[in-house]
Amino acid sequence: MDGPIEDEGARPTRRATVSGLGVMAAALATPAFAQGTTLDRPQGSATATGFVFEDRSGTGRRQDGDPGLAGVAVSNGRDVVRTDESGRYSLAVSDGDAVFVVKPSGYRVPLDANNLPRVSYVHRPSGTPTELGLRYPGLAPTGPLPDSLDFPLRRVDEPAAFDVLLFTDPQPASEAELAFVRDTALTSVLGTSAAFGMTMGDIVSDDLSLYPRYNRLVGRVGIPWWHVGGNHDLNFEAPDADLSRETFKRVYGAPYYAFEHGQALFLMLDNVRYLGIGTAAPGARGGRYEGRFGERQLAFVENILRDWPRDRLVVVGMHIPLVTDTGPEDWSRNTIDRDALLALLAGRPSLSVAGHTHTTEHHYLGRDGTHHHHVLTAVSGSWWSGPYDRRGIACADSRDGTPNGYHVLSVNGARYTTRFVPASEPDRAMRITLDSQYNARTPEVAKAYTVERLLGSPIPVEAVGSTDLVVNVFDGGPRTRVTLRLGDGRAAVPMWKARQPDPFVTQVYARNMDTKKPWVSAIASSHIWVARLPADLGPGTHRADIEVVDEYGRTRHEAMIVEVTGA
């Protein structure tokens, strides 16, 4: 949609402004990304020009007294240019390209009514091809490029220290599960002091008609919220990757982009490459996909990093992990061209975060192991599997035993920490159980006893020497250290890391088959620590104290009471 006709020199100019003050059209709020498409569409190149300006007037459209901003990055998804002294830029644009501004530090971008950032424009003259037959609408026709495509920014104070809410995989499959998102994670962050939020994909679970309600709910948190898409945010009818994000782009904008905040650069990347409807397995509703950034997106990363100081923090958000413990050779769970990204980040302070696997993991990658890759806990946990709590909400413990929840990223200059927050139990950092019965994990035994009886006290003195005390440190990783001290004067002993399922979540799934999603099962967790109880621990009541030193050197303590019965 064109903006108002304004008098600039001798001719009228069709001026379009990407603004949250009444988003002008689906095209202005939502870019498109289409390269190498198999459909017969125009591929001619055009030139996008316009201004990045300081919106002092507050109108969202450039007025007298709204100066241009020099040195601001603008991109077409591959090339990155900087505005000149007057704030003007010029970029080559092909049908399907997105043009977006890279928000500089010290400025804020337009937000819509639901606090979604509006920073991008799609050049899609004829709209999403109708022959795709998309179930969920794509992009409306944009017509030719406006003569001036402008980006307004407002000056704000951005300190070097700030918090970010990190969500991934809310993944509601129904209106009921969307209410679970509302009443757990979203309710727990109301009143947050975080600067903004980020969701790393699987915003919904294939039903893209849930986007509007989801956005209204997220908007009530009251802070800007940035998104990238997951494999459950695809248009499955698309023949290939190039046309698989049409609904996402209509709703959220560019499928990948960047912005600065404080002294950090955030790269929001799309590494879900759809292989097309023709790759679907028999009976499946969608095709296959793989983890891949692709040459065009990596070129964008290289170009935007070229001007970013090497001593400043880079945070990368994506959906599919660079690498995961759940299947390191499965390219639908790992990213094929991760080494290319890591090479671009080498020598810089950096963190990358992902979702997808519904597990919690820490990895240290790159040739020197300095790049921290954090796979985040899913908001939906075990895909909203039961049992239901007293509110009627699925408990949704993840398959690695972590409660469903989210993370908080705290940035201070080039330094950062993350912390996990369970959505329904915000103060919990670990779970302590006693694994004393050899057959406790079988469904038949699980149904015959309570969880407390199988995984807690009392235990008979004859079973002490064969009982393991098991600690699931929900956000634990390879640098986490865990020690056990029994309160009868014994010295503290280090617990050993074990690759095994969490006994508790194994029990939960075994006894709640009717409320568990059929594909959900307990898997070996990357953050379990174990210690065998001493065989000479006699009858009586004993205290077990657990100390955890986490990935960042922070210390947490929790304890349990162990009762041992005599012969």
Side-chain angles (χ1 to χ4, degrees):
M1 178 178 178
D2 296 330
I5 304 260
E6 298 181 7
D7 185 11
E8 284 198 1
R11 66 182 181 88
T13 299
R14 291 165 45 250
R15 179 181 295 277
T17 306
V18 177
S19 173
L21 302 176
V23 175
M24 299 170 55
L28 297 187
T30 54
F33 172 53
Q35 50 175 333
T37 177
T38 58
L39 296 181
D40 183 15
R41 299 188 286 116
Q43 296 295 316
S45 180
T47 301
T49 62
F51 290 90
V52 179
F53 66 93
E54 184 181 350
D55 185 19
R56 292 180 179 176
S57 63
T59 64
R61 298 176 186 271
R62 194 176 186 198
Q63 309 291 330
D64 290 340
D66 289 345
L69 295 173
V72 178
V74 183
S75 179
N76 59 11
R78 180 190 182 94
D79 306 310
V80 176
V81 297
R82 297 276 173 175
T83 55
D84 65 16
E85 292 180 355
S86 68
R88 180 180 286 276
Y89 71 92
S90 179
L91 269 171
V93 182
S94 298
D95 182 9
D97 282 351
V99 179
F100 56 89
V101 66
V102 178
K103 185 195 86 65
S105 296
Y107 290 88
R108 65 179 174 88
V109 301
L111 304 174
D112 73 3
N114 294 318
N115 287 307
L116 296 177
R118 295 306 189 186
V119 296
S120 51
Y121 177 94
V122 61
H123 179 51
R124 181 73 90 190
S126 301
T128 298
T130 57
E131 57 265 42
L132 290 179
L134 298 184
R135 178 168 185 154
Y136 303 104
L139 296 155
T142 66
L145 279 169
D147 292 326
S148 188
L149 176 57
D150 299 340
F151 295 93
L153 298 171
R154 299 286 299 275
R155 192 180 295 274
V156 294
D157 179 37
E158 285 185 355
F162 58 93
D163 287 348
V164 182
L165 300 180
L166 302 178
F167 279 29
T168 192
D169 299 80
Q171 208 165 339
S174 64
E175 296 284 354
E177 290 182 356
L178 189 48
F180 294 168
V181 179
R182 177 196 66 202
D183 294 338
T184 57
L186 288 176
T187 296
S188 72
V189 300
L190 295 178
T192 181
S193 60
F196 55 91
M198 296 164 45
T199 296
M200 263 56 69
D202 283 1
I203 302 163
V204 295
S205 187
D206 304 329
D207 186 347
L208 308 189
S209 71
L210 296 175
Y211 280 156
R213 184 183 171 204
Y214 165 87
N215 291 334
R216 291 192 296 271
L217 294 174
V218 171
R220 305 292 73 76
V221 177
I223 58 176
W225 209 286
W226 306 83
H227 294 79
V228 292
N231 56 291
H232 288 283
D233 297 307
L234 295 167
N235 291 110
F236 290 133
E237 299 83 5
D240 50 38
D242 299 330
L243 289 161
S244 63
R245 288 279 189 225
E246 297 295 281
T247 301
F248 179 91
K249 297 172 214 173
R250 175 177 60 82
V251 175
Y252 294 103
Y256 60 90
Y257 52 93
F259 62 92
E260 301 172 14
H261 193 96
Q263 297 176 8
L265 173 66
F266 290 79
L267 303 175
M268 300 291 280
L269 304 184
D270 182 3
N271 64 342
V272 180
R273 183 163 185 83
Y274 188 52
L275 302 180
I277 187 64
T279 64
R285 291 192 293 176
R288 294 168 51 242
Y289 59 88
E290 64 184 12
R292 185 188 294 273
F293 297 113
E295 183 273 337
R296 179 180 176 86
Q297 192 169 187
L298 289 168
F300 163 69
V301 173
E302 182 177 14
N303 289 332
I304 196 67
L305 287 177
R306 185 171 291 118
D307 294 328
W308 186 248
R310 296 191 65 84
D311 60 347
R312 289 196 172 186
L313 179 66
V314 180
V315 179
V316 188
M318 65 197 75
H319 181 63
I320 295 177
L322 297 177
V323 64
T324 174
D325 287 324
T326 66
E329 303 304 320
D330 183 347
W331 294 119
S332 70
R333 302 184 192 183
N334 300 263
T335 303
I336 293 171
D337 49 2
R338 61 181 176 239
D339 288 344
L341 177 68
L342 293 172
L344 294 173
L345 296 172
R348 300 175 179 271
S350 61
L351 163 72
S352 58
V353 293
H356 188 50
T357 57
H358 296 243
T359 57
T360 308
E361 304 171 27
H362 291 266
H363 301 275
Y364 297 92
L365 307 176
R367 291 182 179 179
D368 55 1
T370 58
H371 178 77
H372 183 192
H373 183 60
H374 194 353
V375 183
L376 305 173
T377 302
V379 169
S380 62
S382 54
W383 294 266
W384 299 115
S385 289
Y388 299 109
D389 65 16
R390 61 184 179 275
R391 302 169 295 173
I393 297 174
C395 289
D397 293 291
S398 298
R399 54 199 186 134
D400 65 355
T402 304
N404 70 302
Y406 57 93
H407 289 76
V408 177
L409 167 65
S410 297
V411 175
N412 190 349
R415 301 178 65 83
Y416 69 88
T417 59
T418 61
R419 62 182 175 89
F420 168 60
V421 182
S424 298
E425 304 172 274
D427 293 330
R428 295 196 65 192
M430 67 191 82
R431 179 187 298 113
I432 310 170
T433 55
L434 295 173
D435 194 6
S436 64
Q437 299 188 39
Y438 186 83
N439 294 306
R441 299 175 189 177
T442 62
E444 295 77 14
V445 173
K447 292 178 180 179
Y449 296 90
T450 65
V451 173
E452 291 81 5
R453 178 64 187 87
L454 285 173
L455 301 177
S457 296
I459 55 175
V461 67
E462 295 88 352
V464 168
S466 59
T467 295
D468 288 334
L469 189 145
V470 179
V471 179
N472 186 337
V473 182
F474 299 140
D475 200 18
R479 298 180 179 179
T480 301
R481 302 187 305 277
V482 185
T483 56
L484 164 67
R485 182 187 298 275
L486 288 167
D488 58 353
R490 299 172 188 258
V493 295
M495 301 184 70
W496 72 87
K497 196 174 184 182
R499 182 119 180 118
Q500 67 175 56
D502 183 326
F504 174 82
V505 79
T506 304
Q507 290 287 318
V508 169
Y509 292 170
R511 66 181 66 247
N512 293 282
M513 299 296 291
D514 56 333
T515 57
K516 181 181 69 66
K517 300 290 174 66
W519 62 85
V520 174
S521 61
I523 65 170
S525 174
S526 67
H527 40 84
I528 296 287
W529 280 261
V530 176
R532 182 66 51 85
L533 291 182
D536 61 350
L537 188 68
T541 304
H542 310 273
R543 172 171 170 155
D545 285 281
I546 306 298
E547 179 182 270
V548 173
V549 181
D550 73 5
E551 299 294 289
Y552 306 100
R554 299 170 302 197
T555 302
R556 285 289 299 260
H557 295 88
E558 293 192 21
M560 77 177 305
I561 295 174
V562 180
E563 293 183 278
V564 179
T565 58

